[in-house]
Amino acid sequence: MKRSILMLAMFFTLSTAFTSCREVNEEEDEMEMEGEEMEREMEGEMQEMDDDMDNVGEDIEDAANDAGDAVENAANETGEAVEDAANEVEDEVEGDDDY
């Protein structure tokens, strides 16, 4: 009788050991999958940040171009205004003024 009880206890111990090892492996696989998922999410977020940085760079370049165009237009308009004023003064001096 003692032998059969000891054999049952040994089988119970072995089956418990195998079952607990299998659960650990499943947990490790689950943790590895979660780690890979987090890595993919971080790569996606990094890609989004790179895209955002590219967009910011393009926006800055566009703003600089717009500012350059505005300065150029203002210089042209100022030059035209000075030229018109000079022509009016010349006409006044020569007496060709319409007034």
Side-chain angles (χ1 to χ4, degrees), residues 6-56:
L6 288 175
M7 288 294 271
L8 286 174
M10 185 179 74
F11 285 128
F12 176 74
T13 304
L14 286 174
S15 65
T16 304
F18 287 130
T19 303
S20 66
C21 290
R22 186 178 63 210
E23 289 175 3
V24 169
N25 287 339
E26 289 174 359
E27 289 176 7
E28 287 175 0
D29 291 342
E30 186 176 312
M31 289 178 67
E32 185 175 318
M33 288 174 42
E34 287 177 2
E36 290 173 358
E37 182 179 336
M38 288 176 63
E39 185 176 334
R40 283 191 302 271
E41 287 176 5
M42 287 183 67
E43 287 175 356
E45 289 177 8
M46 296 277 292
Q47 184 65 35
E48 286 179 17
M49 282 179 47
D50 286 343
D51 292 343
D52 290 344
M53 293 294 283
D54 289 341
N55 291 340
V56 167

Side-chain angles (χ1 to χ4, degrees), residues 52-87:
D52 290 344
M53 293 294 283
D54 289 341
N55 291 340
V56 167
E58 291 172 4
D59 290 345
I60 290 172
E61 186 175 338
D62 290 343
N65 288 336
D66 291 344
D69 291 343
V71 168
E72 187 176 333
N73 290 339
N76 288 339
E77 289 176 7
T78 302
E80 290 172 4
V82 168
E83 188 176 320
D84 289 344
N87 288 338

